[in-house]
């Protein structure tokens, strides 16, 4: 059976599935339940500086979007960092870590951008015997209005500065949690690395307004008629997170920087995908907040079974293996030709492939053949765009098949032309010309 | 297609009746009050209860919004099913109902009585995909019920009449065809005089289908809803040839639509028929049951034999069983595949304890002191493509024999003037008869299957054709 043990910055956990810093990790009772359920680690909900406790709204904190059958695919929240007294959190962290020594216990922190404030909290956190700290530079609502959270994460110089303070004032591994509410995640990651951070974690939540109440004419959910943007997470944000993780993994400056991936991870497959893009651990929140902690059982068994099937004995066996295949558009093989193929035995004749191709793409799928309802690909029109595959309700009914010989009836060109990309394409004014 | 296949793939689970709680009065003869009040209530409750809001959302999400949707093509009235289901899924039940009713003003009754398993739901791609079609009929009912509740509560109607055309149209017969024609004609701006032979409007919806398919007086509620558009003046107890005549209607109105149904029935042609008590037409038995204020007053035999193989036979048989008959047998002269009752209806009969016997033709009624005591059948077989008696006789003891062997057109009033073929009024694709200014639809014509939904389509198409003719 595959070995799921994870060693991230020296922080050991029996599996790579951590609960992200969020409502599920705000208190001892929840975290104990999580560990009993089998989670490998937690990032304790963000602690702030000592003083008057944080105040949350008493109206709704969460909003959601659903897909069919009311499946929750996106969640947003306006909850702030922990609203419990610092000393209680610290005491509980220490208790839980002692009770569960084999689990990862990372503590998320957010204090004002002053070195003394960081020094002070770092000292107290170290006393809990936790395994590491995560700097919350991502929270996009509320705290960012007070110069913390995303307000720090959006300025690379601040990221670097605070990361450096933490490294200088603590023996603990430092993970910088990044906000996606920026234009290029690489600048933030590079700054964290320059500041000496041991790792980055991403993504934090995305600025979002979930919906508008058309009776109240106000954002929904609203608090007494007024709404504020919140942080968006859940399955719908996974592709955004995956891109940002990939960008950091393949950036020359940050390549090799350990990553704890966050963003819509719901199943073992999501986790495996982030790890294939170099993540050392994955952090989960929305899936647990949708289904409860028990989902980790599926994640662990699924990952283990897949690793067994693929012959990967440890996480390191496949970690980062997909990074080399993530590239820029300009390096994609323009001579690679695929055509859609519809398995007529699997086809249920809903006709969605036809109508989307007809209305919005290339008119490359029939609806009638010899007068009968039948959906077939017209190779002379098919550009292999994959839209039909994506809209087909039946798994594997439509597939893209590589054309390796003969002539592409659409272009009149040979299918077997070898690799060539945009950099040398004749239509590219900046193409690299072969030496004459 | 085997029965078991059909029932497992249909979204409609054939409803079965729970056994009587307090015992059945098993006395012989045709008597009323065989069951307790609870048993009557349970046996005649809605056979396919409405979806809850949640169920409707879950079911609506299953629709794939197909291109050129097979379900829509399978609907005789061409309801835009993908659109109306999408409207339900976006919490727009009234908009959904509008989509349905625009194509089929009797979408409420059709949702209840259509054999969806052979129409839209059979064509649903999810039937092909996983053997579980989207519950189109129940979703349609969900939307239309919402609209009818709204219309009833606020005295509104979803459609507005066009500017008055000044034309008057006579619609004869207030069943599904006539009501559909009347509504569409009114909507198009014409004034409609609606005549019906009976005491209530609705035709077979009111008199001819099983009570558990449309409980709570739904047929009359729907009539009220349809008439809610205005411009339709009903006249009851007027039958073509008795009180009204086609020639005077043609003279007094700009156009005439006939939706007169099939007002008479075939007889067994056996001696004793019409004399022996306990032998009667199934359609009359159903009508009496439908009109009864209290089901405990509806008499039923102890051993009932229904002769026939259509929907009426099943409706009569199942209701007889649910009224407390000890045994009910349907005898049909051909095989299961020839029965006009759908596979689902046949299954419904069996689940309710009705025995279906095939390849039997009635040959003799037996009487005892003026009442039927048994009926004999001769076995039949297809020999050289012809249904032939084999000579083997089977006798069933029975104190109630219901005949459901087909209805026939009463055409005395127009026999000379209009082309009638094979017992049906001949119409073209626009539902025009051979007689200028007269259109017809529903069971009295041979346009499609004798279904409510087909009749509604006939009425709609005829109205559109009449409108074109009146504006030409």
């Amino acid at each position: 059976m595959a070995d799921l043990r994870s060693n991230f910055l020296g922080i050991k956990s029996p599996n790579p599935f951590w609960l992200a810093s969020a409502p599920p990790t705000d208190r001892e009772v929840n975290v104990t339940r999580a560990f009993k359920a089998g989670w490998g680690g937690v990032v304790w909900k963000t602690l702030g500086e000592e003083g008057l406790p944080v105040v949350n709204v008493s109206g709704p904190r969460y909003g959601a979007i659903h897909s069919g059958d009311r499946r929750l695919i996106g969640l947003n929240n306006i909850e702030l960092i922990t609203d419990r007294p610092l000393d209680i959190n610290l005491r509980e962290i220490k208790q839980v870590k002692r009770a569960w020594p084999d689990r990862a216990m990372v503590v998320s922190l957010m204090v004002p951008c002053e070195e003394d404030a960081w020094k002070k909290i770092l000292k107290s956190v170290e006393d809990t015997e936790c395994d590491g700290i995560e700097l919350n530079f991502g929270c996009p609502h509320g705290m960012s209005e007070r110069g913390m959270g995303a307000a720090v994460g959006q300025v690379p110089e601040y990221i670097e500065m605070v990361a450096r303070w933490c490294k200088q004032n603590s023996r603990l591994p430092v993970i910088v949690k990044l906000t996606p509410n920026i234009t290029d995640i690489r600048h933030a990651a590079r700054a964290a690395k320059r500041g000496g951070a041991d790792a980055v974690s991403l993504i934090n939540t995305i600025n979002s307004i979930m919906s508008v109440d058309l009776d109240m004419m106000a954002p929904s959910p609203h608090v007494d008629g007024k709404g504020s943007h919140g942080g968006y997470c859940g399955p719908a944000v996974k592709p955004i997170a995956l891109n940002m993780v990939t960008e950091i993994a393949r950036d020359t400056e940050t390549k090799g920087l350990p990553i704890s991936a966050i963003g819509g991870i719901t199943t073992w497959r999501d986790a495996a995908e982030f790890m294939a893009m170099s993540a050392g651990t994955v952090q989960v929140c929305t899936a647990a907040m949708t289904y409860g902690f028990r989902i980790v059982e599926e994640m662990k068994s699924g990952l283990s079974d897949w690793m067994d099937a693929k012959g990967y004995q440890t996480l390191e066996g496949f970690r980062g293996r997909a990074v080399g295949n993530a590239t820029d558009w300009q390096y994609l093989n323009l001579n690679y030709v695929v055509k859609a193929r519809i398995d007529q035995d699997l086809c249920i004749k809903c006709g969605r492939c036809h109508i989307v191709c007809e209305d919005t793409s290339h008119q490359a799928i029939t609806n009638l053949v010899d007068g009968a309802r039948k959906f077939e690909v017209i190779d002379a029109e098919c550009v292999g765009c994959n839209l039909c595959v994506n809209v087909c309700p039946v798994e594997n009914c439509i597939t893209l098949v590589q054309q390796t010989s003969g002539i592409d009836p659409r272009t009149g060109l040979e299918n077997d032309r070898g690799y060539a990309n945009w950099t040398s394409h004749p239509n590219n004014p900046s193409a690299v010309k072969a030496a004459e | 297609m085997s029965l078991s296949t059909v029932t497992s793939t249909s979204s409609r689970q054939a409803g079965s009746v729970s056994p009587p709680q307090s015992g059945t009065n098993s006395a012989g003869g045709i008597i009323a009050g065989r069951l307790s009040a609870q048993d009557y209530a349970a046996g005649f409750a809605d056979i396919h209860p409405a979806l809850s809001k949640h169920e409707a959302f879950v079911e609506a999400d299953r629709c794939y919004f197909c291109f050129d949707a097979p379900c829509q093509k399978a609907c005789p009235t061409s309801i835009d099913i993908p659109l109306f289901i999408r409207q339900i899924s976006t919490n727009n039940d009234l908009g959904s109902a509008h989509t349905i009713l625009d194509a089929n003003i009797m979408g409420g009754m059709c949702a209840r009585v259509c054999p969806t398993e052979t129409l839209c739901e059979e064509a649903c791609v999810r039937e092909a995909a996983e053997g579980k079609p989207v519950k189109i009929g129940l979703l349609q009912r969900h939307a239309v019920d919402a609209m009818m509740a709204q219309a009833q509560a606020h005295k509104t109607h979803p459609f507005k009449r066009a500017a008055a055309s000044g034309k008057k149209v006579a619609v004869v017969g207030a069943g599904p065809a006539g009501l559909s024609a009347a509504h569409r004609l009114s909507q198009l701006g014409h004034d409609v005089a609606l005549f019906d032979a009976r005491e209530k409007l609705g035709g077979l919806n009111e008199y001819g289908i099983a009570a558990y398919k449309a409980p709570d007086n739904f047929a009359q509620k729907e009539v009220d809803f349809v008439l809610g558009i205005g411009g339709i003046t009903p006249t009851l107890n007027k039958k073509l040839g008795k009180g009204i005549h086609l020639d005077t209607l043609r003279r007094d109105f700009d156009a005439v639509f006939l939706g007169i149904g099939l007002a008479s029935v075939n007889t067994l042609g056996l001696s004793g028929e019409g004399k022996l008590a306990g032998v009667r037409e199934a359609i009359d038995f159903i009508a009496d049951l439908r009109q009864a204020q209290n089901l405990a007053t509806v008499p039923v035999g102890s051993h009932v034999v229904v002769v026939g193989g259509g929907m009426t036979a099943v409706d009569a048989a199942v209701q007889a069983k649910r009224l407390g008959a000890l045994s009910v047998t349907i005898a049909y002269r051909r095989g299961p595949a020839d029965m006009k009752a759908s596979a689902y209806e046949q299954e419904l009969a069996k689940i309710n304890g009705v025995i279906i016997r095939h390849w039997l033709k009635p040959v003799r009624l037996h009487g005892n002191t003026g009442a039927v005591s048994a009926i004999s059948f001769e076995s039949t077989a297809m020999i050289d493509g012809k249904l032939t008696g084999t000579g083997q006789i089977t006798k069933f003891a029975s104190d109630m024999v219901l005949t459901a062997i087909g209805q026939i057109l009463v055409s005395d009033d127009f026999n000379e003037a209009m082309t009638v073929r094979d017992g049906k009024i001949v119409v073209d694709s626009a539902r025009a008869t051979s007689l200028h200014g007269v259109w017809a639809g529903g069971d009295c014509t041979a346009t499609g299957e004798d279904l409510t939904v087909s009749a509604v389509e006939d009425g709609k198409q005829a109205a559109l054709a009449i409108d074109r003719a009146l504006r030409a």
Side-chain angles (χ1 to χ4, degrees):
Chain A
M1 214 171 81
D3 181 355
L4 294 187
R5 283 179 301 170
S6 153
N7 184 344
F8 186 75
L9 319 176
I11 305 170
K12 291 179 179 151
S13 57
N15 63 60
F17 301 106
W18 293 4
L19 283 169
S21 168
T25 60
D26 191 29
R27 55 187 65 218
E28 181 274 332
V29 60
N30 300 88
V31 175
T32 299
R33 289 177 67 85
F35 285 161
K36 280 182 180 161
W39 290 86
V42 300
V43 182
W44 199 276
K45 178 152 169 111
T46 307
L47 309 182
E49 63 182 343
E50 198 162 14
L52 295 173
V54 160
V55 177
N56 271 299
V57 296
S58 295
R61 299 175 193 190
Y62 304 116
I65 63 168
H66 299 98
S67 67
D69 204 15
R70 220 178 138 76
R71 295 273 167 181
L72 188 151
I73 58 167
L75 186 71
N76 111 331
N77 85 91
I78 56 165
E79 185 172 292
L80 302 181
I81 62 174
T82 184
D83 53 12
R84 304 187 323 140
L86 180 63
D87 60 327
I88 293 178
N89 274 309
L90 292 169
R91 192 167 67 235
E92 289 185 0
I93 290 167
K94 190 167 192 166
Q95 272 172 18
V96 178
K97 180 61 196 177
R98 286 203 169 168
W100 299 88
D102 67 324
R103 309 300 169 96
M105 173 65 77
V106 174
V107 178
S108 174
L109 301 174
M110 182 197 289
V111 294
C113 266
E114 298 151 11
E115 189 169 7
D116 284 346
W118 283 95
K119 269 187 186 171
K120 194 170 174 200
I121 197 158
L122 286 167
K123 172 78 184 63
S124 339
V125 170
E126 280 188 357
D127 291 344
T128 65
E129 297 159 24
C130 71
D131 299 305
I133 55 171
E134 184 181 82
L135 314 187
N136 181 344
F137 296 163
C139 198
H141 50 268
M143 304 311 288
S144 56
E145 295 170 14
R146 307 174 200 176
M148 292 181 273
V152 177
Q154 285 165 340
V155 183
E157 291 76 10
Y158 292 171
I159 296 174
E160 181 179 344
M161 176 179 74
V162 180
R164 184 166 290 122
W165 288 341
C166 291
K167 281 308 289 180
Q168 285 168 351
N169 292 296
S170 171
R171 59 175 171 76
L172 292 168
V174 173
I175 305 166
V176 172
K177 186 166 178 176
L178 302 178
T179 175
N181 300 308
I182 39 78
T183 48
D184 187 342
I185 195 70
R186 292 175 301 181
H187 296 295
R190 288 169 189 161
K193 192 179 179 192
R194 281 196 303 273
D198 299 288
V200 290
S201 58
L202 70 160
I203 57 173
N204 206 309
T205 55
I206 303 172
N207 286 347
S208 53
I209 286 179
M210 298 309 280
S211 58
V212 173
D213 183 321
L214 293 174
D215 296 318
M216 299 279 296
M217 281 296 168
S220 178
H222 55 81
V223 176
D224 193 21
K226 297 272 192 275
S228 175
H229 77 259
Y232 189 40
C233 53
V237 313
K238 177 192 150 193
I240 297 166
L242 205 45
N243 173 57
M244 290 184 168
V245 165
T246 303
E247 287 299 288
I248 294 170
R250 72 189 193 93
D251 180 55
T252 48
E253 275 189 52
T254 54
K255 199 171 204 142
L257 180 65
I259 298 173
S260 183
I262 312 165
I265 295 163
T266 307
T267 66
W268 72 266
R269 183 178 290 276
D270 298 329
E273 290 175 13
F274 276 101
M275 297 176 89
M277 279 301 178
S278 88
T281 63
V282 292
Q283 297 184 31
V284 176
C285 171
T286 309
M289 291 185 71
T290 307
Y291 300 107
F293 288 144
R294 207 166 69 85
I295 52 160
V296 75
E297 290 174 29
E298 179 281 327
M299 292 176 155
K300 288 192 294 184
S301 66
L303 184 61
S304 174
D305 293 344
W306 171 76
M307 286 170 64
D308 287 346
K310 290 285 181 185
Y312 299 123
Q313 287 168 357
T314 66
L315 300 177
E316 288 303 309
F318 71 95
R319 195 175 68 79
R321 286 228 181 174
V323 176
N325 290 325
T327 185
D328 295 343
W329 191 96
Q330 62 180 330
Y331 301 122
L332 300 179
N333 183 2
L334 296 175
N335 289 343
Y336 176 74
V337 180
V338 293
K339 299 287 178 190
R341 288 288 172 266
I342 301 172
D343 184 331
Q344 296 297 333
D345 291 334
L346 291 176
C347 177
I348 59 170
K349 297 188 165 59
C350 70
R352 291 211 309 219
C353 56
H354 162 78
I355 197 59
V356 297
C357 192
E358 197 73 9
D359 280 354
T360 71
S361 293
H362 300 88
Q363 296 79 46
I365 298 180
T366 65
N367 64 316
L368 291 172
V369 176
D370 298 331
R373 185 176 177 88
K374 189 172 185 185
F375 304 95
E376 276 184 349
V377 175
I378 303 162
D379 282 359
E381 304 296 339
C382 177
V383 303
C385 74
N386 210 32
L387 180 63
C388 55
V389 175
N390 293 328
V391 303
C392 178
V394 179
E395 194 98 340
N396 296 324
C397 174
I398 310 181
T399 47
L400 295 183
V401 177
Q402 187 184 355
Q403 309 294 299
T404 53
S405 61
I407 305 285
D408 179 351
R410 183 178 72 87
T411 59
L413 297 172
E414 296 274 349
N415 280 322
D416 179 23
R417 282 178 295 143
Y419 173 88
N421 64 42
W422 176 245
T423 61
S424 59
H425 197 278
N427 292 13
N428 179 358
S430 325
V432 182
K433 298 278 190 299
E436 292 182 19
Chain B
M1 194 157 31
S2 77
L3 279 181
S4 57
T5 309
V6 170
T7 45
S8 67
T9 56
S10 168
S11 72
R12 299 207 300 185
Q13 295 297 307
S16 63
V17 61
S18 49
Q21 299 300 305
S22 50
T24 304
N25 179 345
S26 59
I30 300 176
I31 58 171
R34 288 186 182 274
L35 304 176
S36 70
Q38 301 101 288
D39 291 333
Y40 284 116
F44 289 85
D46 206 331
I47 192 166
H48 303 296
L51 297 176
S52 69
K53 185 99 183 157
H54 169 70
E55 287 173 312
F57 275 136
V58 170
E59 198 57 28
D61 276 337
R62 296 186 64 234
C63 174
Y64 284 141
F65 202 75
C66 295
F67 159 76
D68 197 18
C71 54
Q72 181 175 2
K73 291 182 135 174
C75 174
T77 56
S78 306
I79 294 171
D80 190 339
I81 295 167
L83 178 60
F84 95 65
I85 295 180
R86 194 165 175 80
Q87 288 169 307
I88 291 173
S89 73
T90 59
N91 203 14
N92 182 9
D93 289 348
L94 297 180
S96 173
H98 202 279
T99 300
I100 296 161
L101 297 166
D102 194 31
N104 179 339
I105 192 61
M106 310 197 71
M109 184 60 86
C110 288
R112 288 164 168 80
V113 302
C114 261
T116 53
E117 63 282 351
T118 62
L119 297 171
C120 52
E121 292 180 18
E122 182 181 56
C124 176
V125 301
R126 296 201 82 142
E127 167 67 29
E130 66 240 28
K132 289 191 179 68
V134 174
K135 295 173 182 171
I136 298 167
L138 283 168
L139 286 170
Q140 178 168 317
R141 173 173 169 178
H142 174 80
V144 176
D145 281 2
M147 177 67 88
M148 286 179 61
Q150 155 112 350
Q152 196 180 9
H154 302 288
K155 303 270 179 270
T156 56
H157 188 79
F159 300 99
K160 287 213 172 6
R161 298 186 70 196
S165 68
K167 306 285 186 185
K168 295 184 299 175
V169 182
V171 171
V172 185
L179 286 167
S180 168
H183 184 272
R184 185 67 57 152
L185 286 163
S186 171
Q187 194 182 347
L188 292 165
H190 312 298
D191 286 333
V192 178
L194 177 62
F195 300 96
D196 196 88
R198 305 186 83 144
E199 292 177 356
K200 288 184 188 174
L201 303 177
L204 289 179
N205 287 354
E206 174 60 36
Y207 293 97
I209 56 167
Y212 44 73
K213 289 179 180 173
D216 304 324
N217 205 24
F218 182 79
Q220 285 310 298
K221 286 181 184 165
E222 189 172 52
V223 166
D224 293 345
F225 171 72
V226 170
L227 265 51
I229 192 169
I232 303 171
T233 310
T235 305
L236 297 167
N237 300 309
K238 294 279 188 203
K239 190 174 182 175
L240 201 60
K242 233 183 194 173
I244 47 169
H245 295 277
L246 189 55
D247 50 2
T248 48
L249 291 175
R250 289 181 72 204
R251 188 191 65 210
D252 297 343
F253 291 88
D254 296 298
V256 178
F257 174 80
L258 301 179
I260 54 178
L262 302 171
S264 187
V265 292
N266 287 315
T267 56
L268 298 172
L270 302 179
S271 106
E273 200 175 2
K275 294 188 198 108
L276 287 173
V279 182
R280 66 183 308 208
E281 290 152 15
I283 195 82
D284 289 344
F285 169 71
I286 294 170
D288 285 355
L289 191 153
R290 285 292 305 274
Q291 298 309 309
Q293 296 297 311
N294 177 2
L295 289 166
T297 65
V298 180
V300 69
S302 60
H303 297 284
V304 178
V305 173
V306 181
V307 184
M311 297 289 200
T312 301
V314 172
D315 280 356
V318 172
Q319 291 189 111
K321 197 76 179 67
R322 291 187 175 200
L323 283 174
L326 302 185
S327 78
V328 178
T329 304
I330 289 176
Y332 178 58
R333 64 196 173 119
R334 296 175 186 268
D338 303 308
M339 289 181 81
K340 280 196 175 167
S342 67
Y344 163 81
E345 292 284 337
Q346 295 180 44
E347 185 69 13
L348 177 70
K350 291 178 188 172
I351 285 174
N352 279 275
V354 172
I355 296 158
I356 302 181
R357 297 286 303 265
H358 300 104
W359 304 108
L360 291 176
K361 70 170 181 186
V363 291
R364 192 178 160 198
L365 291 164
H366 305 269
N368 182 12
T369 62
V372 69
S373 59
I375 177 169
S376 292
F377 292 88
E378 180 183 7
S379 293
T380 59
M382 289 301 289
I383 296 169
D384 299 331
K386 265 187 81 176
L387 191 69
T388 312
T390 65
Q392 187 190 335
I393 303 294
T394 312
K395 187 173 170 185
F396 294 90
S398 174
D399 46 21
M400 187 182 209
V401 172
L402 300 173
T403 60
I405 51 174
Q407 296 156 266
I408 46 180
L409 180 70
V410 175
S411 55
D412 309 344
D413 194 54
F414 50 81
N415 254 343
E416 303 299 310
M418 205 154 54
T419 310
V420 173
R421 192 180 302 139
D422 299 330
K424 299 266 191 173
I425 298 171
V426 174
V427 292
D428 63 15
S429 61
R431 278 67 169 180
T433 69
S434 64
L435 203 54
H436 181 72
V438 181
W439 284 258
D443 289 358
C444 66
T445 61
T447 52
E449 287 185 82
D450 287 352
L451 296 173
T452 300
V453 65
S454 304
V456 173
E457 179 66 4
D458 287 349
K460 178 176 88 184
Q461 291 302 334
L464 294 169
I466 291 169
D467 181 65
R468 287 193 296 271
L470 295 183
R471 293 181 192 280

